[in-house]
PDB file of all heavy atoms in Angstrom:
ATOM      1  N   ILE A 185       9.850  -2.774 156.895  1.00  0.00           N
ATOM      2  CA  ILE A 185       9.532  -1.404 156.485  1.00  0.00           C
ATOM      3  C   ILE A 185       8.691  -0.768 157.571  1.00  0.00           C
ATOM      4  O   ILE A 185       7.691  -1.330 158.005  1.00  0.00           O
ATOM      5  CB  ILE A 185       8.807  -1.399 155.127  1.00  0.00           C
ATOM      6  CG1 ILE A 185       9.765  -1.897 154.052  1.00  0.00           C
ATOM      7  CG2 ILE A 185       8.293  -0.027 154.798  1.00  0.00           C
ATOM      8  CD1 ILE A 185       9.222  -1.875 152.661  1.00  0.00           C
ATOM      9  N   ARG A 186       9.125   0.416 157.998  1.00  0.00           N
ATOM     10  CA  ARG A 186       8.455   1.105 159.099  1.00  0.00           C
ATOM     11  C   ARG A 186       8.002   2.487 158.669  1.00  0.00           C
ATOM     12  O   ARG A 186       8.450   3.020 157.659  1.00  0.00           O
ATOM     13  CB  ARG A 186       9.413   1.267 160.274  1.00  0.00           C
ATOM     14  CG  ARG A 186       9.895  -0.019 160.853  1.00  0.00           C
ATOM     15  CD  ARG A 186      10.848   0.255 161.989  1.00  0.00           C
ATOM     16  NE  ARG A 186      11.493  -0.964 162.443  1.00  0.00           N
ATOM     17  CZ  ARG A 186      12.583  -0.983 163.153  1.00  0.00           C
ATOM     18  NH1 ARG A 186      13.178   0.148 163.497  1.00  0.00           N
ATOM     19  NH2 ARG A 186      13.106  -2.125 163.531  1.00  0.00           N
ATOM     20  N   SER A 187       7.162   3.079 159.482  1.00  0.00           N
ATOM     21  CA  SER A 187       6.683   4.431 159.254  1.00  0.00           C
ATOM     22  C   SER A 187       7.863   5.396 159.342  1.00  0.00           C
ATOM     23  O   SER A 187       8.703   5.280 160.228  1.00  0.00           O
ATOM     24  CB  SER A 187       5.652   4.768 160.321  1.00  0.00           C
ATOM     25  OG  SER A 187       4.899   5.869 159.955  1.00  0.00           O
ATOM     26  N   GLY A 188       7.960   6.317 158.393  1.00  0.00           N
ATOM     27  CA  GLY A 188       9.048   7.290 158.373  1.00  0.00           C
ATOM     28  C   GLY A 188      10.217   6.890 157.496  1.00  0.00           C
ATOM     29  O   GLY A 188      11.128   7.680 157.283  1.00  0.00           O
ATOM     30  N   ASP A 189      10.221   5.668 156.955  1.00  0.00           N
ATOM     31  CA  ASP A 189      11.305   5.205 156.082  1.00  0.00           C
ATOM     32  C   ASP A 189      11.198   5.845 154.700  1.00  0.00           C
ATOM     33  O   ASP A 189      10.100   6.111 154.215  1.00  0.00           O
ATOM     34  CB  ASP A 189      11.248   3.684 155.896  1.00  0.00           C
ATOM     35  CG  ASP A 189      11.743   2.923 157.109  1.00  0.00           C
ATOM     36  OD1 ASP A 189      12.395   3.538 157.969  1.00  0.00           O
ATOM     37  OD2 ASP A 189      11.475   1.710 157.178  1.00  0.00           O
ATOM     38  N   GLU A 190      12.334   6.069 154.074  1.00  0.00           N
ATOM     39  CA  GLU A 190      12.392   6.551 152.694  1.00  0.00           C
ATOM     40  C   GLU A 190      12.353   5.320 151.790  1.00  0.00           C
ATOM     41  O   GLU A 190      13.187   4.430 151.910  1.00  0.00           O
ATOM     42  CB  GLU A 190      13.695   7.335 152.471  1.00  0.00           C
ATOM     43  CG  GLU A 190      13.785   8.053 151.157  1.00  0.00           C
ATOM     44  CD  GLU A 190      12.925   9.308 151.077  1.00  0.00           C
ATOM     45  OE1 GLU A 190      12.622   9.894 152.131  1.00  0.00           O
ATOM     46  OE2 GLU A 190      12.573   9.683 149.962  1.00  0.00           O
ATOM     47  N   VAL A 191      11.343   5.257 150.901  1.00  0.00           N
ATOM     48  CA  VAL A 191      11.185   4.097 150.032  1.00  0.00           C
ATOM     49  C   VAL A 191      11.114   4.516 148.570  1.00  0.00           C
ATOM     50  O   VAL A 191      10.866   5.683 148.255  1.00  0.00           O
ATOM     51  CB  VAL A 191       9.910   3.276 150.383  1.00  0.00           C
ATOM     52  CG1 VAL A 191      10.019   2.635 151.734  1.00  0.00           C
ATOM     53  CG2 VAL A 191       8.666   4.117 150.279  1.00  0.00           C
ATOM     54  N   ILE A 192      11.334   3.550 147.680  1.00  0.00           N
ATOM     55  CA  ILE A 192      11.191   3.754 146.249  1.00  0.00           C
ATOM     56  C   ILE A 192      10.143   2.759 145.752  1.00  0.00           C
ATOM     57  O   ILE A 192      10.112   1.615 146.206  1.00  0.00           O
ATOM     58  CB  ILE A 192      12.539   3.597 145.520  1.00  0.00           C
ATOM     59  CG1 ILE A 192      12.425   3.983 144.059  1.00  0.00           C
ATOM     60  CG2 ILE A 192      13.108   2.215 145.678  1.00  0.00           C
ATOM     61  CD1 ILE A 192      13.758   4.209 143.374  1.00  0.00           C
ATOM     62  N   VAL A 193       9.263   3.214 144.857  1.00  0.00           N
ATOM     63  CA  VAL A 193       8.203   2.359 144.327  1.00  0.00           C
ATOM     64  C   VAL A 193       8.791   1.497 143.214  1.00  0.00           C
ATOM     65  O   VAL A 193       9.448   2.001 142.312  1.00  0.00           O
ATOM     66  CB  VAL A 193       7.025   3.205 143.811  1.00  0.00           C
ATOM     67  CG1 VAL A 193       5.925   2.327 143.258  1.00  0.00           C
ATOM     68  CG2 VAL A 193       6.485   4.097 144.913  1.00  0.00           C
ATOM     69  N   THR A 194       8.560   0.187 143.278  1.00  0.00           N
ATOM     70  CA  THR A 194       9.155  -0.749 142.322  1.00  0.00           C
ATOM     71  C   THR A 194       8.181  -1.232 141.262  1.00  0.00           C
ATOM     72  O   THR A 194       8.604  -1.849 140.284  1.00  0.00           O
ATOM     73  CB  THR A 194       9.728  -1.980 143.054  1.00  0.00           C
ATOM     74  OG1 THR A 194       8.673  -2.607 143.780  1.00  0.00           O
ATOM     75  CG2 THR A 194      10.840  -1.579 143.987  1.00  0.00           C
ATOM     76  N   ALA A 195       6.876  -0.995 141.433  1.00  0.00           N
ATOM     77  CA  ALA A 195       5.894  -1.462 140.459  1.00  0.00           C
ATOM     78  C   ALA A 195       4.680  -0.543 140.452  1.00  0.00           C
ATOM     79  O   ALA A 195       4.399   0.129 141.437  1.00  0.00           O
ATOM     80  CB  ALA A 195       5.464  -2.880 140.795  1.00  0.00           C
ATOM     81  N   GLY A 196       3.988  -0.511 139.330  1.00  0.00           N
ATOM     82  CA  GLY A 196       2.761   0.275 139.229  1.00  0.00           C
ATOM     83  C   GLY A 196       2.959   1.564 138.474  1.00  0.00           C
ATOM     84  O   GLY A 196       4.016   1.814 137.890  1.00  0.00           O
ATOM     85  N   LYS A 197       1.929   2.412 138.501  1.00  0.00           N
ATOM     86  CA  LYS A 197       1.953   3.648 137.715  1.00  0.00           C
ATOM     87  C   LYS A 197       2.981   4.655 138.229  1.00  0.00           C
ATOM     88  O   LYS A 197       3.428   5.507 137.481  1.00  0.00           O
ATOM     89  CB  LYS A 197       0.563   4.288 137.671  1.00  0.00           C
ATOM     90  CG  LYS A 197       0.091   4.824 139.005  1.00  0.00           C
ATOM     91  CD  LYS A 197      -1.204   5.573 138.886  1.00  0.00           C
ATOM     92  CE  LYS A 197      -1.553   6.200 140.228  1.00  0.00           C
ATOM     93  NZ  LYS A 197      -2.623   7.142 140.151  1.00  0.00           N
ATOM     94  N   ASP A 198       3.359   4.561 139.475  1.00  0.00           N
ATOM     95  CA  ASP A 198       4.332   5.491 140.066  1.00  0.00           C
ATOM     96  C   ASP A 198       5.706   4.862 140.230  1.00  0.00           C
ATOM     97  O   ASP A 198       6.495   5.276 141.087  1.00  0.00           O
ATOM     98  CB  ASP A 198       3.822   5.981 141.424  1.00  0.00           C
ATOM     99  CG  ASP A 198       2.593   6.854 141.295  1.00  0.00           C
ATOM    100  OD1 ASP A 198       2.534   7.624 140.328  1.00  0.00           O
ATOM    101  OD2 ASP A 198       1.696   6.760 142.145  1.00  0.00           O
TER     102      ASP A 198
END
Side-chain angles (χ1 to χ4, degrees):
I185 294 183
R186 298 179 189 162
S187 197
D189 284 345
E190 189 74 25
V191 293
I192 187 165
V193 180
T194 58
K197 68 174 186 169
D198 293 323

